[in-house]
Amino acid sequence: MREAILLTPGPLTTSLATKTAMLTDWGSWDDSFNALTARVCADLVNIVHGGDTHVCVPLQGSGTFAVEAAIGNLVPRNGKLLVLVNGAYGRRLARIAEMIGRPFAIYEAADDTPPNPAEVAARLAADPAISHVGVIHCETSTGILNPLAEIADVVARAGRRLIVDSMSAYGALPIDAREIAFDALIASSNKCLEGVPGMGFIIVDRDALLESAGNSHSLAMDLVDQYLYLQKTGQWRFTPPTHVVAALAAALDQYHLEGGQPARLARYSANCRSLISGMGRLGLKLFLEPSLQAPIIVTFHAPNHPDYDFKRFYEAVRARGFVLYPGKLTAVETFRVGCIGAIDSAEIGQAVGVVADALAELGWTH
Ligand SMILES: *Cc1c(COP(=O)(O)O)cnc(C)c1O
């Protein structure tokens, strides 16, 4: 039987070429591995056109490790971070600031509402202590797309610095560092680049990075040290996730062969459209206004049936070879389906068929 298709936004379904790239053992001091790291990092900067101003600092760990590193390095101990929250990842950003002792404030919007740039401007004007703004690009807890360009504009006009968690958007949604002012943009190997989990990275303004020397709250997450050591030796400080880097290099080759960011966005958008129309035929309704929906992950209201239970739904779909994602909202019962990974409309069509069969088996059809 075919491996299960992951309709989860990372880890996600990867291609055979990406998986087979992990069949080699690399020495972490070896020139060929150093060249691989350098190639991947240069590529990651180029994808957002950051070549003249920005550098890539890779970091061992999941995406959250890279977010924590960015906050702990770039926001000085006497700085203040305004966190824009409209979902769980925004709340996590604030929690990081709290844990590592960086002063912060929160501007919270509802889960189905993007932060309002005018309100961000007002809060910056009202509080001169705010040095940085943190925003989630695509809030994966619902799939909502936040207005990055407009927020970046407001932050730049107010003379503050922007830190973007673009984990689930980077590589698929267009980002141009020549047009959008940011100090740091954070993403990871296992989302829209379709690599395997284990590496986060920060695309960071080189001057802002160098100015941040001495800020780090952590030895292992010291981005300036990681960057300077990589520059000097070609090597990561501490053991690199060699197989993850090799898989990411292979995934990036496929990314460019496919046609880069526009092609990836087109495939995910087609996935998203077939998903929404197919689930709509089954009576499953979108949580978000369609105009706010990013083509990354879709939140649906749970089937309206008194016996509904996500675990049973999950198992029935899982038995048919597809993996769903639970909802992440407290007020409403929802579930989520990812549009990303090495899948296209064919797999999405099969997934809709499987959901239909599962609902019929459970007796939850309308
Ligand atoms: C996936 C994700 C993260 C990081 O999650 P990890 O589980 O640590 O990889 C952070 N922010 C957003 C918006 C994400 O989608």
Side-chain angles (χ1 to χ4, degrees):
M1 208 177 102
R2 180 171 79 176
E3 258 191 295
I5 299 288
L6 301 183
L7 299 174
T8 58
L12 39 61
T13 292
T14 59
S15 73
L16 185 62
T18 298
K19 286 191 257 277
T20 51
M22 292 184 286
L23 296 177
T24 302
D25 299 319
W26 301 75
S28 63
W29 38 264
D30 194 77
D31 284 346
S32 58
F33 182 72
N34 297 347
L36 198 66
T37 298
R39 175 157 73 84
V40 164
C41 286
D43 207 5
L44 294 174
V45 174
N46 287 336
I47 286 171
V48 294
H49 314 283
D52 296 333
T53 45
H54 291 67
V55 296
C56 169
V57 186
L59 191 69
Q60 300 92 331
S62 85
T64 305
F65 290 64
V67 176
E68 185 168 320
I71 302 300
N73 282 260
L74 295 171
V75 182
R77 285 155 211 259
N78 61 358
K80 182 171 181 180
L81 179 69
L82 175 66
V83 187
L84 313 188
V85 175
N86 61 340
Y89 289 100
R91 276 192 288 277
R92 187 181 293 176
L93 199 59
R95 180 89 180 105
I96 289 171
E98 185 180 13
M99 286 284 295
I100 67 179
R102 295 297 186 265
F104 69 100
I106 290 175
Y107 159 32
E108 184 155 8
D111 286 332
D112 60 357
T113 309
N116 179 351
E119 178 63 24
V120 176
R123 298 211 179 197
L124 294 179
D127 187 351
I130 295 169
S131 55
H132 291 73
V133 174
V135 64
I136 313 294
H137 190 178
C138 167
E139 183 36 274
T140 321
S141 53
T142 56
I144 197 170
L145 180 61
N146 286 331
L148 177 60
E150 290 82 350
I151 287 167
D153 206 41
V154 155
V155 173
R157 275 169 206 271
R160 317 300 170 82
R161 312 293 193 95
L162 184 66
I163 297 174
V164 188
D165 171 352
S166 187
M167 209 71 62
S168 62
Y170 176 96
L173 297 179
I175 304 166
D176 190 331
R178 297 164 303 188
E179 289 168 7
I180 294 182
F182 59 83
D183 266 13
L185 185 89
I186 307 140
S188 69
S189 50
N190 61 277
K191 291 196 173 168
C192 300
L193 296 175
E194 301 183 359
V196 304
M199 177 185 141
F201 57 89
I202 300 102
I203 307 295
V204 55
D205 180 271
R206 191 166 184 278
D207 295 336
L209 175 68
L210 296 177
E211 276 165 31
S212 78
N215 284 352
S216 186
H217 64 298
S218 150
L219 173 77
M221 291 185 178
D222 189 327
L223 296 180
V224 178
D225 209 33
Q226 178 89 315
Y227 174 68
L228 293 177
Y229 192 79
L230 262 163
Q231 291 289 104
K232 195 167 81 186
T233 65
Q235 296 169 22
W236 299 52
R237 292 176 323 156
F238 321 138
T239 305
T242 47
H243 297 72
V244 175
V245 177
L248 182 57
L252 284 166
D253 289 342
Q254 295 160 71
Y255 177 79
H256 294 299
L257 268 177
E258 185 180 357
Q261 177 269 321
R264 187 121 321 170
L265 178 61
R267 177 158 59 83
Y268 291 170
S269 298
N271 287 352
C272 188
R273 280 193 302 272
S274 348
L275 178 68
I276 291 173
S277 66
M279 299 291 255
R281 285 194 298 277
L282 305 181
L284 293 166
K285 295 194 178 55
L286 276 183
F287 169 72
L288 291 174
E289 279 297 314
S291 62
L292 300 175
Q293 177 70 59
I296 306 293
I297 183 168
V298 182
T299 299
F300 292 99
H301 286 284
N304 184 13
H305 193 278
D307 288 348
Y308 176 79
D309 169 51
F310 176 75
K311 190 74 185 139
R312 287 176 65 204
F313 186 35
Y314 176 93
E315 294 297 351
V317 170
R318 178 68 184 81
R320 293 167 169 83
F322 287 82
V323 175
L324 296 176
Y325 213 47
K328 218 175 173 127
L329 300 173
T330 41
V332 257
E333 187 75 62
T334 56
F335 69 94
R336 290 176 294 167
V337 185
C339 309
I340 66 178
I343 54 172
D344 61 24
S345 298
E347 283 82 8
I348 296 289
Q350 294 159 12
V352 171
V354 154
V355 167
D357 292 347
L359 292 176
E361 178 189 87
L362 294 161
W364 297 344
T365 46
H366 293 269

